[in-house]
């Protein structure tokens, strides 16, 4: 669905269908092949006008419209939100309101933005096997599975839809943005939850125990911080009162050189960052997971961690080369700019430095009643 809306004081470049009239996309608009720009080994999305829609939560009610945005969405300065409300880029119930407007619970809020998505690797999403209901793909690090946060079109689901015409798509489960490996995407919801088993491999710091290690530790995800914490909850406490969720992961050592270990990870539950947090809690964090290495519980093989960082290895370059042909570099393509946008004239959003490294955590196997999908180990899984 695309909406046309007359812009006060002029339109803002490309996205305009008529003078002063901008076409606003919504989540219902499917990604298209021409939406992407390829530069220096990265896949960008040409900035586009987009309508974010939300409804006032109970904890938001009673705040002014400007204070609400400034407090809940801190990616832009306060002055931007004042200007956005005044010029109608932020509306309540489809109407322009004053900056002093007090929002009420359940009211519809629209934020019309010039959307810039972070870039991802330029390698395509390789289809390993395609069946009538299931598509098996190789997910590379840096590509989110589905729309979330700043990502809408630069996702596995979006790229499959734009380049292969596959829709609607339902990922069997989510791999973190920086995790690579096997991913199952279904064309209809036929796989029952709880019947799918997953296996990952990881490279961790230290000499992992020889016997299987099972970690039963609750996990609490903080959406504001973008990280999880492991909480050893009181077993006598009512779990319904706890913020954290029950989580269980089984780990088995495959090999070790005394400094690092390659381990098999089998999550019994599926919490955000579960494997990463349970490994950190156990004292064997993933060797290049800088988000959780900073709070490592032991000083186990600190020299090895430094060596990892210096090596600068990335799972993007170490995963099997199946179908990973770079897209052709496109000549200097112009894209629309917007006078209200805080990201223009940059192609990527501000605050993105492009330095994120793929984690040494890789999904290698899915299985269920009567079916199995497997994927080769990446190069970093060898400690030779």
């Amino acid at each position: 669905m695309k909406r046309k809306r007359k812009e006060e004081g002029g339109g803002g470049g490309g996205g305009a269908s008529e003078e002063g009239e901008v076409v606003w996309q919504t989540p219902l608009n499917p990604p298209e092949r021409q939406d992407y720009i390829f530069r220096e080994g990265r896949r960008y999305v040409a900035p586009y006008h987009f309508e974010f829609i939300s409804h006032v939560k109970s904890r938001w009610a009673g705040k002014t419209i400007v204070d609400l945005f400034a407090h809940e969405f801190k990616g832009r300065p306060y002055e931007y939100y004042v200007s956005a409300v005044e010029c109608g880029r932020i509306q309540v119930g489809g109407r322009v309101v004053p900056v002093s407007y007090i929002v009420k619970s359940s009211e519809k809020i629209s934020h019309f933005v010039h959307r810039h998505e972070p870039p991802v690797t330029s390698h395509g999403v390789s289809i390993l096997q395609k069946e009538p209901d299931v598509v098996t793909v190789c997910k590379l690090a840096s590509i989110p599975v589905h729309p979330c946060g700043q990502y809408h079109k630069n996702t596995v689901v979006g790229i499959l839809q734009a380049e292969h015409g596959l829709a609607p798509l339902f990922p069997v489960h989510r791999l973190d943005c920086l995790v690579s490996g096997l991913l199952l995407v279904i064309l209809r919801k036929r796989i029952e939850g709880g019947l799918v088993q997953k296996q990952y491999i990881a490279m961790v710091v230290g000499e992992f125990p020889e016997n299987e290690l099972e970690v039963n530790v609750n996990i609490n995800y903080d959406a504001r911080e973008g990280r999880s914490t492991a909480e050893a909850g009181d077993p006598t406490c009512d779990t319904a009162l706890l913020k954290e969720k029950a989580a269980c992961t089984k780990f088995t050592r495959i090999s070790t050189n005394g400094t690092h270990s390659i381990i098999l990870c089998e999550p019994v539950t599926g919490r955000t960052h579960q494997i990463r947090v349970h490994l950190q809690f156990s004292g064997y964090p993933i060797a290049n997971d800088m988000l959780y290495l900073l709070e490592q519980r032991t000083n186990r093989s600190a020299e090895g961690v430094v060596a990892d960082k210096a090596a600068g290895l990335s799972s993007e370059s170490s995963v099997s080369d199946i179908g990973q042909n770079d897209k052709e570099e496109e000549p200097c393509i112009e894209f629309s700019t917007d006078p209200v946008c805080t990201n223009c004239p940059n192609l990527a959003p501000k605050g993105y430095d492009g330095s994120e490294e793929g984690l040494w955590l890789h999904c290698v196997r899915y299985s269920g009643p009567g079916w199995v999908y497997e994927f080769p180990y990446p190069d970093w899984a060898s400690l030779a």
Side-chain angles (χ1 to χ4, degrees):
M1 175 183 176
K2 295 185 179 181
R3 291 182 53 186
K4 293 181 180 179
R5 188 170 68 83
K6 195 82 169 180
E7 281 285 282
E8 299 294 335
S17 58
E18 299 174 13
E19 184 177 358
E21 194 170 47
V22 176
V23 177
W24 299 94
Q25 299 185 28
T26 75
L28 298 179
N29 294 113
E32 299 177 354
R33 189 181 293 269
Q34 61 267 27
D35 292 338
Y36 299 100
I37 297 173
F38 299 91
R39 291 182 180 175
E40 299 179 348
R42 311 297 285 174
R43 175 194 294 263
Y44 293 84
V45 176
Y48 56 100
H49 290 94
F50 187 84
E51 179 186 4
F52 280 102
I53 299 174
S54 60
H55 290 82
V56 177
K57 301 177 182 179
S58 57
R59 63 183 174 85
W60 297 355
K63 296 181 179 179
T64 68
I65 185 67
V66 173
D67 286 345
L68 163 61
F69 272 87
H71 182 263
E72 296 292 336
F73 308 100
K74 298 180 179 179
R76 293 179 170 88
Y78 186 90
E79 294 74 18
Y80 163 80
Y81 291 120
V82 172
S83 175
V85 171
E86 290 177 339
C87 73
R89 285 286 181 98
I90 293 177
Q91 299 183 4
V92 179
R95 67 186 190 280
V96 178
V97 297
V99 294
S100 59
Y101 181 83
I102 305 297
V103 300
K104 305 175 186 64
S105 182
S106 300
E107 281 186 310
K108 175 187 173 183
I109 298 178
S110 295
H111 185 193
F112 299 91
V113 303
H114 193 232
R115 189 166 185 174
H116 294 240
E117 297 192 27
V120 300
T121 176
S122 63
H123 294 302
V125 177
S126 303
I127 295 179
L128 306 176
Q129 187 172 345
K130 184 178 178 182
E131 300 179 22
D133 294 336
V134 180
V135 179
T136 311
V137 303
C138 168
K139 178 200 171 308
L140 298 181
S142 86
I143 309 178
V145 172
H146 51 67
C148 57
Q150 291 182 293
Y151 298 89
H152 178 58
K153 299 181 180 183
N154 246 355
T155 62
V156 172
V157 169
I159 294 170
L160 286 174
Q161 189 167 5
E163 297 188 347
H164 300 279
L166 297 174
L169 297 174
F170 305 95
V172 172
H173 83 125
R174 184 179 65 88
L175 296 179
D176 288 346
C177 182
L178 297 181
V179 176
S180 61
L182 187 65
L183 179 69
L184 293 188
V185 183
I186 56 178
L187 296 169
R188 62 185 70 171
K189 294 182 177 180
R190 72 173 181 86
I191 297 180
E192 297 183 25
L195 298 180
V196 178
Q197 297 178 323
K198 288 92 63 179
Q199 291 184 346
Y200 299 72
I201 58 166
M203 181 192 293
V204 301
V205 176
E207 186 173 348
F208 201 82
E210 187 173 357
N211 296 327
E212 179 183 271
L213 175 64
E214 181 173 313
V215 180
N216 281 284
V217 179
N218 296 348
I219 287 179
N220 179 29
Y221 178 67
D222 187 333
R224 285 182 177 275
E225 296 295 327
R227 58 182 294 122
S228 294
T229 54
E231 307 287 346
D234 182 353
T236 64
C237 183
D238 185 353
T239 56
L241 300 178
L242 297 175
K243 291 175 59 179
E244 61 265 17
K245 297 180 179 180
C248 177
T249 315
K250 297 178 181 179
F251 300 104
T252 306
R253 190 176 84 185
I254 297 175
S255 62
T256 184
N257 61 8
T259 300
H260 298 98
S261 299
I262 302 297
I263 60 171
L264 181 68
C265 315
E266 300 177 276
V268 178
T269 54
R271 309 305 181 196
T272 302
H273 295 183
Q274 175 175 314
I275 294 175
R276 300 165 65 180
V277 175
H278 276 177
L279 285 170
Q280 179 213 36
F281 181 85
S282 303
Y284 302 91
I286 294 174
N288 69 340
D289 190 351
M290 302 313 296
L291 181 62
Y292 292 106
L293 273 170
L294 297 178
E295 294 186 6
Q296 186 177 347
R297 291 179 177 270
T298 70
N299 292 322
R300 191 184 312 273
S301 189
E303 293 181 359
V305 177
V306 175
D308 293 334
K309 193 63 180 176
L313 298 177
S314 168
S315 62
E316 282 183 24
S317 60
S318 61
V319 177
S320 174
D321 289 333
I322 299 176
Q324 293 183 23
N325 295 321
D326 280 327
K327 297 291 184 180
E328 290 185 7
E329 296 286 323
E330 296 184 358
C332 209
I333 296 178
E334 295 185 0
F335 57 91
S336 66
T337 59
D338 187 307
V340 182
C341 181
T342 57
N343 291 311
C344 284
N346 298 321
L347 188 54
K350 289 182 179 178
Y352 179 84
D353 60 11
S355 63
E356 289 184 313
E357 180 184 2
L359 290 178
W360 288 329
L361 178 63
H362 183 80
C363 185
V364 294
R365 192 176 193 267
Y366 281 84
S367 62
W371 56 269
V372 175
Y373 294 95
E374 295 182 324
F375 192 64
Y377 285 12
D379 292 343
W380 53 254
S382 173
L383 293 176

